[in-house]
Amino acid sequence: MAPARYDAVADFYVSGFDSVGDPGTRALLGLLGPVAGLRVLDVACGHGRVTRELARRGAQVTGIDISGNLIGKARKTEQDERLGIRYLHADIAAPGVLGQGGFDAAVCNFGLSDIDDLDAAITEISSALPYRGHFTWSILHPCFTGGKDISGSWPAGGSYYDERHWTAQGRPRPVLTGASRAWAPSRCPSQV
């Protein structure tokens, strides 16, 4: 697999983001609810910060991330603190990467905005969940400009008010119209 854009900043994430005590993560875990005994997928799991917390709360957890460096750090931590977590170094947008219905719930903490093919990712996540399965996520507000080695919500030549989808490399992609097939009424998590 080709290097991912987060490979270069893996150490930054490990050193600066290892607690789950921040308000966004606490809210995410609260919305997800009790996970003991559930099979939970952590999408864009990074170095496993939320993944480990889910395992400590009794979930059987699989973390998936496109960054080999971040997954490597998560696997190293799993060797030191065995929680039974399975980590996949894979692209969540790749068709069939998860299989059908293998999870009771999915979670993604601030990662959706960094997935280039969001439709394919949501389709894959939806396929991995049962009917009325839960997908709980958090996203960053698009007002943040980023910083050194951290991608912002828009490229340097753009602004908060530009109505386009931007990738972390700064190239616009077309605005998607219509509903994603993953969120057809029979699969829509909001109908839970």
Side-chain angles (χ1 to χ4, degrees):
M1 183 175 285
R5 60 183 165 256
Y6 279 90
D7 284 343
V9 292
D11 290 331
F12 168 81
Y13 278 96
V14 171
S15 66
F17 301 96
D18 203 35
S19 166
V20 292
D22 63 278
T25 304
R26 283 197 327 263
L28 177 81
L29 293 169
L31 286 170
L32 181 61
V35 294
L38 297 180
R39 296 165 301 153
V40 180
L41 173 68
D42 186 5
V43 176
C45 69
H47 64 288
R49 178 174 69 104
V50 172
T51 321
R52 289 187 297 278
E53 182 61 23
L54 293 167
R56 288 182 194 115
R57 292 178 180 205
Q60 179 185 344
V61 192
T62 297
I64 184 170
D65 202 286
I66 199 168
S67 169
N69 287 354
L70 285 168
I71 285 292
K73 292 178 183 303
R75 287 176 176 158
K76 170 68 171 102
T77 301
E78 174 65 16
Q79 289 174 349
D80 297 341
E81 180 188 357
R82 300 233 181 240
L83 295 170
I85 298 168
R86 182 176 82 139
Y87 288 105
L88 300 174
H89 175 214
D91 184 352
I92 188 63
V97 71
L98 298 174
Q100 296 288 316
F103 298 94
D104 301 305
V107 65
C108 183
N109 192 38
F110 299 128
L112 291 178
S113 57
D114 293 316
I115 296 173
D116 291 334
D117 190 348
L118 193 53
D119 274 352
I122 296 298
T123 298
E124 190 61 27
I125 294 163
S126 180
S127 293
L129 294 172
Y131 177 70
R132 295 189 184 252
H134 297 270
F135 179 32
T136 308
W137 70 90
S138 60
I139 58 172
L140 291 172
H141 188 280
C143 68
F144 301 107
T145 58
K148 183 177 180 337
D149 298 326
I150 303 171
S151 64
S153 300
W154 60 84
S159 80
Y160 174 78
Y161 299 102
D162 290 345
E163 293 189 25
R164 326 171 86 149
H165 292 275
W166 298 97
T167 66
Q169 290 85 16
R171 294 184 302 271
R173 66 178 184 187
V175 175
L176 304 173
T177 57
S180 168
R181 290 187 309 275
W183 298 120
S186 65
R187 303 282 296 180
C188 184
S190 65
Q191 295 177 345
V192 176

